[in-house]
Amino acid sequence: MIVDWESRDADTFFFQFSSFSLFQRSVAAVLNDEDLAKIFFEQIVYNSGDKSEDDKTGTSSSGSLGGLILQKVAGDPDIYELMLMIMNNLGQALSQQGIVREAILHHLAAAALLETRLQLLSGVDEEIAKDEILEAQDNLLHTRAHIWRASKVNGEWERFADFDVLKHHVDEIQLKNGMDSALLPFDTLGSDVTPQWRKNIAVKHAESLSLFSRNYSPETQKSLHTHRSINNNKPPLLKLGYLCYDFNDHPTAHLAEGLFLYHNTSKNNDIVVSAYNYGKNDNSSYRENIVMLSGGYQAEGGRFFELSHLGHDSGADLIKSDVPDVLIDMQGFTLGGRPELTARMLAPIQVNYLIFPGTSGATFMHYLVGDRFVTPPEHANFYSEKLSLMPESYQINFYKRHVGESENYSWTKEERRRARVDHGLCEDCFVFANFNKQDKIEPAIFNTWCDVIKSVPGSILCEFLQRVRVCACKSRLRMFCTFGLGAHSVPIIYFPSF
């Protein structure tokens, strides 16, 4: 589970300006010894990338000073738990900030500690240490899953084979023992697994939310809606509620802006739309427009409900007070998702839509909006929800903000030429472009892209990366060389605000 670092000179420069000083201070506080912390840092964390192909456990040899420190830490339950928490929590925090290589090293150090802990426990009677061994194995799988995800973001394709090992151990250690899976539903979407296994992981993940749903039954919510309908003197309005983390300058809002616009301008006056937001307010025009199309903030009499400052119980109560007939969860099991809210059955009909086009595995989600490509009807048995298939694409799109009112906008020849020059592209070559995030691209599909590019003479691949990833560029160049394609064939265009 060790990264094969290729440039120690670059790494040395990198670490000089890293946040590892914070890590060292944390380790020193736990060990109560600054010199010991320095040795731990230098020999275990820094050198975790120096292992040979035959020794990729992340641990130092038992005879080395680093190995002895690992054994000392792993042998003290209190210090061991604190160190494990520090390393994995800092790794997660660094990943969230996009500081991926440092994040990987923190998790590698955590893996080394866990493996040493398991080595020590192997010398104890199995019946006595059974629970501790299982707990350490569980923590190790979660740590290795963190490493795998961070490596995907960093473009370290050599680690993609780790997924098969992870999947095997998730089955044999976690699922067989009724434990939560280290691999999340979102991890399975772009992985080579069967639809049934993908559903199994989603169902297991959804089961962990049962604590939040036990006091919220469909019967209770149905009676609430029946009461509202009976007391109206006219046919009740259909109340739709959109739950989302990304009502800001984010691709979700870029798409959903048009959805709210069309709801707002529809001639059907029997529909009322609310937005339930629990993400940040970035004061962007996207955020302001969705607030405006929702009639303003709820606190000012509008239908844009702010949940970002509320916990799960208070947030659920606020949504419940709006009495939606249909609650559309636009986030699902993705970063920022709050399934703890939908688990409370806040509407008679709850819909999984847009960002997470996979099954939730949840009994509290009733429909999934998809299409025949993303959610093939022949795979209906592998979804816990009923499939609601759009005739073409399930994805809403909104272009008017960028191209005006014209529905058939196209560039002139001069506009196209100027745009290519501005972005460093040749004027007459055929350009294949990819707009996905780095972690959504894996070797097998890139292999296919290489085949296509090689079959179209003079073509190039243009990629848009959120951040410049040296490892990602190296992975691509290695594969291009394998296919006999030159480095000039893969310009990487970097848009820091994308």
Side-chain angles (χ1 to χ4, degrees):
M1 302 298 295
I2 297 301
V3 178
D4 295 315
W5 305 117
E6 297 184 13
S7 173
R8 295 300 305 184
D9 291 338
D11 287 341
T12 301
F13 175 83
F14 182 77
F15 285 118
Q16 289 176 351
F17 298 93
S18 74
S19 65
F20 267 89
S21 58
L22 171 62
F23 180 41
Q24 281 186 268
R25 289 197 300 272
S26 302
V27 172
V30 172
L31 297 179
N32 197 29
D33 188 324
E34 290 188 4
D35 291 334
L36 202 59
K38 184 177 180 181
I39 295 171
F40 183 92
F41 167 76
E42 291 177 347
Q43 295 204 17
I44 298 172
V45 180
Y46 181 83
N47 287 325
S48 63
D50 285 337
K51 308 300 172 191
S52 68
E53 286 297 317
D54 297 326
D55 180 22
K56 291 199 170 188
T57 62
T59 59
S60 301
S61 64
S62 58
S64 71
L65 186 55
L68 293 174
I69 294 173
L70 267 180
Q71 291 182 27
K72 173 181 172 63
V73 173
D76 186 318
D78 293 332
I79 294 179
Y80 154 75
E81 289 184 6
L82 281 171
M83 289 286 285
L84 183 61
M85 180 177 66
I86 288 170
M87 287 183 284
N88 271 335
N89 284 357
L90 280 174
Q92 286 285 79
L94 289 166
S95 285
Q96 292 288 326
Q97 295 297 316
I99 310 173
V100 183
R101 295 195 72 184
E102 290 191 21
I104 291 171
L105 290 180
H106 280 76
H107 291 311
L108 285 170
L113 180 58
L114 284 161
E115 287 163 350
T116 304
R117 177 72 173 169
L118 285 168
Q119 289 173 6
L120 294 177
L121 290 173
S122 66
V124 181
D125 184 273
E126 186 175 344
E127 284 302 313
I128 296 175
K130 182 179 179 181
D131 290 343
E132 289 185 72
I133 290 173
L134 193 59
E135 180 183 7
Q137 290 174 331
D138 181 50
N139 285 329
L140 183 57
L141 281 176
H142 282 282
T143 300
R144 285 176 171 167
H146 292 322
I147 296 169
W148 177 74
R149 292 187 196 101
S151 298
K152 285 178 63 181
V153 173
N154 217 36
E156 297 171 19
W157 287 348
E158 296 81 359
R159 193 176 293 282
F160 264 70
D162 294 347
F163 180 85
D164 294 332
V165 178
L166 268 173
K167 179 181 177 298
H168 171 75
H169 286 112
V170 164
D171 282 332
E172 295 300 314
I173 295 173
Q174 292 179 322
L175 298 185
K176 276 191 177 181
N177 289 284
M179 308 169 85
D180 291 338
S181 168
L183 291 169
L184 303 176
F186 189 78
D187 296 329
T188 70
L189 290 187
S191 301
D192 186 15
V193 299
T194 65
Q196 184 60 59
W197 197 83
R198 188 174 290 120
K199 181 181 179 181
N200 292 345
I201 295 299
V203 168
K204 184 61 181 175
H205 191 69
E207 287 175 352
S208 68
L209 299 165
S210 60
L211 175 67
F212 300 99
S213 61
R214 62 186 180 188
N215 294 324
Y216 294 82
S217 67
E219 290 75 18
T220 301
Q221 195 65 23
K222 183 177 180 180
S223 66
L224 179 63
H225 283 256
T226 301
H227 177 74
R228 176 173 69 85
S229 301
I230 291 173
N231 283 279
N232 286 336
N233 294 322
K234 58 182 181 179
L237 299 174
L238 177 64
K239 301 183 74 173
L240 306 181
Y242 289 92
L243 178 67
C244 190
Y245 175 71
D246 294 316
F247 287 141
N248 44 55
D249 188 1
H250 182 276
T252 303
H254 301 174
L255 300 174
E257 183 180 18
L259 180 65
F260 282 88
L261 175 63
Y262 297 135
H263 273 313
N264 193 266
T265 57
S266 172
K267 295 180 180 179
N268 188 347
N269 295 321
D270 295 332
I271 297 177
V272 176
V273 176
S274 298
Y276 309 126
N277 170 74
Y278 56 91
K280 65 183 178 181
N281 180 4
D282 60 353
N283 296 310
S284 66
S285 60
Y286 295 98
R287 160 79 171 216
E288 292 174 358
N289 207 23
I290 291 177
V291 171
M292 182 269 293
L293 292 170
S294 303
Y297 287 100
Q298 178 256 345
E300 300 169 358
R303 309 204 61 78
F304 189 94
F305 291 73
E306 186 56 76
L307 281 65
S308 58
H309 62 296
L310 300 177
H312 299 319
D313 288 336
S314 300
D317 288 341
L318 184 58
I319 294 175
K320 226 178 13 166
S321 69
D322 191 42
V323 199
D325 294 299
V326 181
L327 179 62
I328 299 102
D329 183 4
M330 303 181 76
Q331 213 72 33
F333 291 150
T334 63
L335 181 65
R338 285 181 71 175
E340 298 86 355
L341 294 174
T342 51
R344 287 164 163 81
M345 279 298 303
L346 303 179
I349 298 175
Q350 298 196 143
V351 180
N352 174 11
Y353 178 55
L354 193 60
I355 305 179
F356 182 75
T359 183
S360 65
T363 57
F364 52 81
M365 299 302 295
H366 308 112
Y367 292 91
L368 186 154
V369 177
D371 58 49
R372 65 186 187 277
F373 306 107
V374 176
T375 55
E378 61 270 23
H379 286 184
N381 290 338
F382 303 119
Y383 293 85
S384 59
E385 308 90 341
K386 294 180 180 178
L387 296 182
S388 178
L389 302 182
M390 297 293 101
E392 300 298 336
S393 170
Y394 89 108
Q395 181 175 296
I396 49 174
N397 293 282
F398 183 64
Y399 304 111
K400 290 184 178 180
R401 171 189 282 268
H402 305 287
V403 300
E405 295 297 322
S406 173
E407 295 184 0
N408 297 303
Y409 180 84
S410 62
W411 281 359
T412 65
K413 186 175 181 179
E414 176 57 25
E415 285 175 327
R416 184 181 298 275
R417 187 199 67 78
R418 189 166 60 248
R420 288 189 170 214
V421 171
D422 290 344
H423 291 97
L425 298 172
C426 52
E427 297 182 28
D428 55 354
C429 59
F430 190 92
V431 178
F432 291 98
N434 166 60
F435 299 93
N436 286 288
K437 290 170 60 180
Q438 167 60 38
D439 57 338
K440 294 182 180 179
I441 305 166
E442 44 82 35
I445 193 64
F446 196 82
N447 187 313
T448 302
W449 292 356
C450 288
D451 268 336
V452 173
I453 292 169
K454 192 169 184 179
S455 68
V456 182
S459 64
I460 63 171
L461 171 64
C462 177
E463 288 201 69
F464 292 78
L465 303 181
Q466 286 179 294
R467 296 178 178 89
V468 175
R469 304 286 189 197
V470 174
C471 290
C473 294
K474 288 182 178 179
S475 296
R476 283 155 171 68
L477 291 175
R478 276 196 294 270
M479 190 166 288
F480 264 79
C481 289
T482 300
F483 275 77
L485 298 166
H488 65 279
S489 301
V490 57
I492 306 294
I493 297 183
Y494 168 45
F495 281 92
S497 61
F498 182 68

